[in-house]
């Protein structure tokens, strides 16, 4: 069974002490998470030559977690992704959220879940982070109580589960925003990482990256049904790639595992399974982190990491044709995602 140790982390701008929780399995592989943003800060595994590699990007300062637009490893919500013009209607009442991404709302707003210090409970081999978001928090309706649970077992499976409940109808779409680089987080590019996504359809977006409609991946740069390098098509002339400055798109998954990624250089392989309908692939197109804020003094730039954000559909509250993201009073929100790590010899 995995063991958990606790160490001090950074102090927030408001003077709060935060902590790192290391979950170590019987092989010595480990994951570190923090109560600041309920975030993943490290995933340390062995490569094919038995060298230790940390494959998760992160910040090393409180400022990064509090202000950084990358959301490294963070729990994002109440509503992950974008909401068009920050506006939606629920139960015939209109709500206006912060527009913190151009004219749109992104990842829960200005002081969202990713910016807050969560409460922590350790239960055997699991770390549980909890938070209570009051009615009107970031202009969302209803008080929402959230639990995020992390575990890392002897099969090298990092499992994240999200649970929530609200005292009135609201919207809820939670995910984790971990950035992977299977070469190791100090490497400058993920363009030579391989990716396979079990999806025959993806969602096209407008100039603000708001969903337009569902399209087939065949004969497009978005066809990852067979392994290919992330960089193989990313610079091709394509209006969708131009709008995202790379991949920043939702794939409608068919089966599990839904994604397999690997590094030909290190042999490290990541397999993703989830009970969400969407995997949002983001190739770190707008990453810009100096060595002062980057983990281990590393500078992170465009394409230094990729995200596999398991979630519901972006802007679903404004698209009745998509599955609902409404969390009704008295209902229980629950989703789970597993990232399994292995090595190809």
């Amino acid at each position: 069974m995995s063991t958990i140790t606790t160490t001090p982390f950074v102090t927030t701008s408001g003077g709060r002490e935060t902590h790192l929780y290391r979950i170590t399995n019987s092989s010595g592989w480990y994951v570190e998470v923090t109560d600041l943003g309920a975030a993943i800060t490290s995933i340390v595994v062995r490569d094919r030559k038995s060298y230790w590699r940390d494959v998760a990007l992160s910040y090393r300062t409180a400022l990064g977690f509090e202000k950084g637009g990358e959301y490294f490893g963070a729990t994002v919500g109440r509503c992950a992704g974008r909401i068009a013009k920050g506006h939606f209607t629920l139960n015939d009442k209109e709500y206006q959220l912060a527009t913190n991404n151009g004219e749109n709302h992104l990842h829960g707003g200005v002081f969202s879940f990713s910016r807050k210090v969560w409460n922590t409970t350790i239960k055997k081999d699991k770390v549980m982070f909890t938070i209570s978001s009051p009615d009107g928090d970031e202009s969302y309706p209803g008080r929402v109580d959230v639990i995020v649970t992390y575990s890392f077992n002897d099969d090298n499976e990092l499992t994240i589960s999200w649970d929530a409940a609200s005292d009135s109808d609201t919207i809820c779409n939670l995910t984790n925003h971990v950035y992977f680089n299977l070469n190791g987080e100090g490497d400058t590019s993920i363009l030579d990482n391989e990716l396979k996504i079990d999806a025959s359809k993806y969602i096209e977006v407008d100039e603000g990256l708001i969903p337009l409609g569902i399209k087939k991946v065949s004969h497009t740069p978005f066809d990852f049904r067979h392994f290919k390098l992330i960089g193989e098509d990313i610079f091709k002339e394509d209006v969708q790639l131009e709008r995202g400055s790379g991949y920043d798109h939702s794939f409608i998954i068919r089966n599990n595992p839904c994604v397999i990624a690997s590094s030909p250089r290190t042999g490290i392989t990541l397999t993703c399974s989830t009970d969400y309908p969407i995997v949002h692939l983001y190739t770190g197109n707008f990453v810009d982190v100096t060595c002062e804020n980057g983990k281990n003094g590393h500078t992170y730039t465009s394409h230094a990491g990729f995200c596999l954000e398991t979630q519901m559909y972006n802007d679903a509250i404004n698209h009745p044709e998509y599955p609902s993201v409404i969390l009704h009073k008295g209902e229980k929100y629950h989703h789970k995602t597993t990232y399994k790590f292995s090595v190809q010899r």
Side-chain angles (χ1 to χ4, degrees):
M1 188 173 76
S2 298
T3 60
I4 298 173
T5 55
T6 305
T7 56
F9 193 36
V10 296
T11 302
T12 70
S13 58
R16 289 193 64 177
E17 301 295 329
T18 66
H19 306 84
L20 279 180
Y21 303 90
R22 179 179 291 189
I23 312 172
T24 306
N25 69 15
S26 60
S27 299
W29 297 24
Y30 66 86
V31 171
E32 288 183 325
V33 294
T34 176
D35 45 9
L36 179 50
I40 297 167
T41 60
S42 295
I43 302 170
V44 178
V45 302
R46 288 194 186 272
D47 66 12
R48 64 160 60 97
K49 295 182 178 179
S50 294
Y51 295 131
W52 291 107
R53 302 270 184 172
D54 186 348
V55 297
L57 281 61
S58 189
Y59 304 107
R60 69 170 178 172
T61 66
L63 180 64
F65 289 92
E66 293 174 339
K67 301 290 186 182
E70 293 79 17
Y71 301 90
F72 283 151
T75 297
V76 293
R78 292 186 191 186
C79 210
R82 293 173 176 85
I83 296 176
K85 299 182 179 179
H87 184 269
F88 67 93
T89 301
L90 178 62
N91 297 336
D92 297 322
K93 183 177 180 179
E94 295 188 5
Y95 294 89
Q96 182 60 53
L97 309 176
T99 51
N100 59 320
N101 184 245
E103 65 177 7
N104 300 315
H105 178 81
L106 178 66
H107 290 332
V110 177
F111 191 60
S112 57
F113 291 170
S114 59
R115 315 296 193 194
K116 301 178 188 293
V117 179
W118 295 54
N119 299 312
T120 308
T121 302
I122 297 174
K123 289 193 174 180
K124 294 184 179 179
D125 58 347
K126 295 179 173 63
V127 178
M128 302 175 66
F129 295 120
T130 61
I131 201 166
S132 183
S133 175
D135 179 37
D137 189 13
E138 287 294 317
S139 299
Y140 284 92
R143 190 197 77 217
V144 175
D145 297 312
V146 181
I147 304 171
V148 179
T149 304
Y150 290 103
S151 64
F152 186 60
N153 65 19
D154 289 344
D155 292 323
N156 305 319
E157 293 173 327
L158 168 58
T159 297
I160 313 169
S161 63
W162 299 262
D163 292 274
S166 179
D167 66 356
S168 62
D169 292 355
T170 189
I171 60 175
C172 187
N173 179 21
L174 304 173
T175 192
N176 183 278
H177 212 285
V178 60
Y179 287 69
F180 302 104
N181 187 328
L182 301 181
N183 299 327
E185 60 87 20
D187 194 86
T188 58
S189 177
I190 44 83
L191 297 182
D192 64 348
N193 283 199
E194 293 182 324
L195 201 59
K196 179 181 179 182
I197 305 176
D198 191 356
S200 60
K201 296 177 181 178
Y202 78 105
I203 298 177
E204 287 192 323
V205 294
D206 66 13
E207 292 84 354
L209 303 180
I210 296 297
L212 286 175
I214 297 171
K215 298 293 182 181
K216 292 183 178 180
V217 301
S218 57
H219 307 294
T220 77
F222 295 84
D223 192 348
F224 284 92
R225 290 175 294 177
H226 302 283
F227 277 109
K228 70 177 181 182
L229 299 179
I230 292 175
E232 182 173 329
D233 294 330
I234 198 170
F235 299 115
K236 285 190 173 180
E237 291 188 10
D238 180 273
V239 66
Q240 287 297 303
L241 291 175
E242 291 169 5
R243 287 174 177 174
S245 297
Y247 296 103
D248 195 352
H249 294 77
S250 293
F251 290 78
I252 303 170
I253 60 176
R254 297 184 298 184
N255 299 294
N256 280 304
C258 54
V259 182
I260 303 174
S262 67
S263 165
R265 278 199 273 154
T266 65
I268 297 170
T269 298
L270 161 64
T271 302
C272 175
S273 299
T274 186
D275 54 9
Y276 283 94
I278 293 291
V279 168
H280 190 88
L281 172 64
Y282 176 53
T283 47
N285 314 314
F286 304 107
V287 168
D288 183 15
V289 176
T290 65
C291 60
E292 287 79 16
N293 283 323
K295 185 170 64 174
N296 298 318
H298 289 142
T299 297
Y300 300 131
T301 56
S302 178
H303 308 139
F306 68 91
C307 302
L308 302 173
E309 303 164 57
T310 58
Q311 58 187 61
M312 300 298 287
Y313 288 63
N314 270 307
D315 199 32
I317 190 62
N318 293 314
H319 292 263
E321 70 274 20
Y322 294 163
S324 176
V325 291
I326 297 173
L327 176 60
H328 293 283
K329 177 181 179 179
E331 289 183 345
K332 299 294 185 182
Y333 176 104
H334 176 78
H335 283 297
K336 184 173 74 172
T337 293
T338 297
Y339 299 110
K340 179 180 174 65
F341 297 89
S342 58
V343 180
Q344 294 179 347
R345 301 295 177 182

